[in-house]
Amino acid sequence: MLGKKYPEREIITKVLRSLTSKWLSKANAIVEGVQYKSGTLTFDQLRGNLITYEMTILDQNGENKKKSLALKASSQEEE
């Protein structure tokens, strides 16, 4: 199996099937899209599409929130 070349369409299908449930709506939109149906969707386009979705939609929903650190502050007056 090493060195076997897979068609790009098969790679795209495998990637879309491997996505978790939080990606389901995006995967369905891609599969129903014109580029996927016509076979003109490339892996690079799919990757860019998924990265954009992750950066916009998932970040807005709080999926990828960065943790922050809150420190207690004190103030002292010096004479």
Side-chain angles (χ1 to χ4, degrees):
M1 295 301 278
L2 293 177
K4 181 180 177 184
K5 300 274 184 189
Y6 289 95
E8 193 160 30
R9 173 71 174 219
E10 188 175 342
I11 294 170
I12 290 170
T13 303
K14 287 178 184 263
V15 168
L16 290 172
R17 279 189 290 160
S18 71
L19 295 173
T20 60
S21 61
K22 69 181 179 182
W23 295 84
L24 185 61
S25 62
K26 186 60 179 175
N28 287 338
I30 291 170
V31 169
E32 293 172 2
V34 174
Q35 286 185 316
Y36 182 82
K37 288 183 178 181
S38 67
T40 59
L41 181 66
T42 65
F43 179 74
D44 289 335
Q45 290 171 328
L46 173 67
R47 183 176 174 271
N49 202 329
L50 294 175
I51 289 172
T52 302
Y53 179 76
E54 181 181 38
M55 289 177 12
T56 56
I57 304 301
L58 295 183
D59 281 349
Q60 287 176 3
N61 292 338
E63 295 286 337
N64 294 327
K65 276 190 177 177
K66 293 183 179 177
K67 293 184 179 183
S68 60
L69 178 64
L71 302 174
K72 288 186 177 182
S74 63
S75 62
Q76 294 177 345
E77 290 184 25
E78 292 186 21
E79 292 182 20

